[in-house]
Amino acid sequence: MKVAEAVGRAMCAAGVGQVFGVVGSGNFHVTNAMVAAGARFVAARHEGGAATMADAYARTCGTVAVVSVHQGPGLTNAMTGIAEAAKSRTPLVVLAAEVTERKSNFHVGQEELARAVGAVAARVTSARSAVEQACAAVGLAVRERRTVLLNLPLPVQALDVPHGALAHAAPPHERAAVEPDADGATALADLLARSRRPVFVAGRGARGPGSRQALEALAEHHGALLATSAVAHGLFHGNPWSLGISGGFASPLASELIRGADLIVGWGCALNMWTMRHGGLIGAGATVVQVDDEPSALGAHRPVHLGVLGDVRLTARQVCEAGGAPRQGYRGPQTGEALRARVRLRDVPYEDTGTRERIDPRTLSIALDDILPAERVLGVDSGNFMGYPSAYLSVPDEKGFCFTQAFQSIGLGLATTIGAALAQPDRLPVAALGDGGALMSAVELDTVRRLGLPMVVVVYDDEAYGAEVHHFGPDGHPLDTVRFPPTDIAAVGRGYGFEAVTVRTRADLKAVADWVAGPRSAPLLIDAKVVADRGSWWLEEAFRGH
């Protein structure tokens, strides 16, 4: 057996069941070996899309995934998606063929590329160690929550592995939950016992099994309100004391209540500039606590009064077991009444600025939230528009929202939704894109159609890179470089085999309702011509972070 086949089979034996990629000569044999060993392979149309699909699949499914790419340009094409995954600590293995001859057209410093974006570099170095090194790459991705680039040199691929080399290939041990620091948990229990207005903000680290139940029980005991970072959107869906997303996508009421807290506890949440609005959601005199299972995360983005090292679920349960009398806390009748009436942005009155030619993005988003089935998985691209789907479209739980925004690249939203859709096949996938990101990634519309995904692709089309228009326009700068002529994006969708509708007014959305009610035999693209008279509400503070 050649190394290429052994590595592919070893990765499957180590627990890899889903592979994305674009196959060339260098990764042909190893990819086929993974397929032969039982992995599902999805061929993307571009390596950048493949990397983001794998990232989104791993985030949504909670298991390690693989992206397989050709040496040199195959890897460089994938680098933006790899950077996003690495910044988000997604357990992902990038399996890349590698040339060792510096004179080759394909030669590039692949190891240096990985390290430059925060991924871990590894290499298969010999036939004797190939299986062990392949399994080690999967184990590192799983245990350390890292994106790992496993380079597979072409000369090594062609070598013969020793007989019985696959005998010891097996799934790695899962990451062990970090036991809570006893002193820290006790200190947090004391703070909660004294708090009158506690707020819990849960992040990516609170998405694990059982975390929601543990946090809700602790919050119930101490009268805490519940919020999430954007990446954990949906975690507390249906809880009457949930504020939704904390930060730039929050409703005015949610922001007011978070700012009024005397104790803010971040659970697996960085409490960064986005989630805390550059600290503007932390009221004067509020105590800030952060719970995380990574020591380096505690206080990384802002000073905290108390950092507690420990797994979110275990820490919440230990603090709850500390007992004490139940408290009303922040959950008084007045707060409950306000939450029922005004916690969602869609319930906040606004002046509809739509015309006969362009629909208000708020009106569009609210209508889509009503029309589309509640059991959905939503992927959102980056851009001026992104707050509308994030804040106005509800999701059923934390696995119903995939937010690949750690690198703030546009063009990832469609591939994000494909990966998330494959991880949640029983839900309607909804991709929310701007026109810039949609056209940048349009090649993956073919992947949607080829896979038979009943996806809804919503394009918020303002004929521009809207963030730049609204950031530079008020100062009188020329905007020709960031504005574009009208494009019939619906026609682009039809060319890829989609059903498509152009939406200019709310009445045009009847076609969407008809599609939802029908057989959904083809995916649907909605080319929504949205008003472009103002920047979205979160844009100004977003640019403050640059």
Side-chain angles (χ1 to χ4, degrees):
M1 183 185 300
K2 302 297 184 184
V3 165
E5 181 180 354
V7 166
R9 290 185 175 277
M11 298 193 82
C12 291
V16 172
Q18 180 67 60
V19 184
F20 299 84
V22 176
V23 172
S25 59
N27 64 328
F28 181 86
H29 293 300
V30 69
T31 304
N32 281 346
M34 285 187 280
V35 173
R40 179 183 185 183
F41 176 70
V42 171
R45 284 299 191 176
H46 190 277
E47 290 91 349
T52 300
M53 292 174 202
D55 179 10
Y57 181 91
R59 295 186 196 210
T60 308
C61 200
T63 59
V64 67
V66 165
V67 56
S68 175
V69 296
H70 186 270
Q71 62 270 24
L75 178 61
T76 58
N77 277 347
M79 285 311 297
T80 297
I82 294 170
E84 169 64 36
K87 286 176 176 287
S88 299
R89 296 293 294 270
T90 300
L92 177 68
V93 176
V94 182
L95 184 57
E98 182 182 35
V99 297
T100 55
E101 174 54 61
R102 289 187 172 272
K103 293 180 181 179
S104 168
N105 289 347
F106 292 132
H107 184 270
V108 66
Q110 296 190 177
E111 185 173 326
E112 291 85 347
L113 280 172
R115 290 175 176 163
V117 298
V120 178
R123 178 174 286 109
V124 175
T125 59
S126 70
R128 183 169 296 277
S129 60
V131 169
E132 178 185 353
Q133 289 168 331
C135 292
V138 176
L140 180 61
V142 170
R143 287 191 298 272
E144 301 298 326
R145 295 192 300 242
R146 299 297 297 272
T147 295
V148 180
L149 169 63
L150 180 62
N151 288 306
L152 188 54
L154 296 180
V156 178
Q157 288 193 43
L159 300 177
D160 292 309
V161 300
H163 179 71
L166 286 170
H168 301 294
H173 296 295
E174 294 291 330
R175 179 184 175 90
V178 177
E179 291 292 330
D181 169 61
D183 291 340
T186 298
L188 175 54
D190 291 341
L191 288 170
L192 283 167
R194 297 196 301 269
S195 172
R196 297 176 57 203
R197 298 181 306 280
V199 170
F200 291 176
V201 184
R204 180 182 290 110
R207 287 166 50 102
S211 292
R212 170 176 177 161
Q213 293 79 4
L215 289 173
E216 286 184 325
L218 182 62
E220 174 74 20
H221 190 84
H222 290 281
L225 303 182
L226 297 161
T228 71
S229 66
V231 295
H233 180 34
L235 180 64
F236 301 119
H237 178 79
N239 189 298
W241 300 102
S242 172
L243 303 175
I245 300 174
S246 173
F249 301 154
S251 68
L253 175 62
S255 298
E256 176 188 334
L257 290 170
I258 295 169
R259 198 175 290 115
D262 61 3
L263 174 64
I264 295 175
V265 186
W267 296 91
C269 178
L271 300 176
N272 59 23
M273 64 181 185
W274 308 106
T275 306
M276 289 289 104
R277 289 190 176 179
H278 300 272
L281 293 184
I282 301 174
T287 299
V288 179
V289 178
Q290 189 180 0
V291 179
D292 206 285
D293 65 0
E294 288 278 355
S296 61
L298 299 174
H301 288 270
R302 66 179 57 260
V304 296
H305 298 92
L306 174 65
V308 182
L309 182 66
D311 173 79
V312 165
R313 178 181 61 87
L314 296 182
T315 303
R317 289 175 61 179
Q318 184 165 317
V319 174
C320 198
E321 288 167 1
R327 299 166 57 82
Q328 175 177 282
Y330 221 163
R331 299 187 175 192
Q334 186 175 357
T335 301
E337 183 179 349
L339 288 178
R340 286 188 292 273
R342 293 185 289 124
V343 74
R344 299 184 304 171
L345 263 177
R346 61 169 294 163
D347 297 326
V348 177
Y350 66 95
E351 179 185 354
D352 190 317
T353 61
T355 67
R356 288 184 296 178
E357 295 299 317
R358 292 196 170 271
I359 190 169
D360 189 305
R362 295 165 293 187
T363 302
L364 169 70
S365 303
I366 292 170
L368 289 174
D369 193 40
D370 291 337
I371 294 170
L372 299 176
E375 283 298 310
R376 63 186 70 146
V377 55
L378 173 64
V380 180
D381 210 331
S382 191
N384 175 63
F385 79 96
M386 63 189 284
Y388 299 110
S390 299
Y392 286 86
L393 295 180
S394 63
V395 292
D397 54 32
E398 73 279 10
K399 291 188 176 182
F401 188 69
C402 199
F403 197 64
T404 47
Q405 300 292 338
F407 201 25
Q408 288 188 262
S409 172
I410 70 169
L412 305 186
L414 180 56
T416 293
T417 313
I418 294 171
L422 293 171
Q424 295 286 319
D426 296 332
R427 297 183 180 186
L428 176 71
V430 181
L433 319 174
D435 55 301
L439 291 171
M440 188 179 290
S441 61
V443 65
E444 300 303 349
L445 294 172
D446 174 75
T447 305
V448 176
R449 186 69 177 96
R450 181 164 28 90
L451 293 175
L453 297 176
M455 184 181 292
V456 176
V457 177
V458 186
V459 182
Y460 290 72
D461 183 5
D462 63 359
E463 298 170 1
Y465 291 135
E468 284 65 34
V469 167
H470 297 296
H471 182 58
F472 295 107
D475 293 329
H477 296 292
L479 300 173
D480 293 345
T481 55
V482 291
R483 281 183 169 153
F484 300 92
T487 301
D488 189 348
I489 299 177
V492 174
R494 292 188 192 101
Y496 280 103
F498 277 61
E499 294 185 31
V501 57
T502 299
V503 172
R504 298 183 182 276
T505 68
R506 202 184 190 291
D508 296 328
L509 290 168
K510 181 181 183 302
V512 179
D514 291 342
W515 181 89
V516 170
R520 307 182 200 174
S521 56
L524 175 68
L525 186 143
I526 303 168
D527 182 7
K529 307 299 186 182
V530 297
V531 294
D533 56 346
R534 68 184 70 178
S536 58
W537 74 98
W538 60 273
L539 187 65
E540 181 178 350
E541 69 183 56
F543 270 107
R544 285 173 55 199
H546 277 251

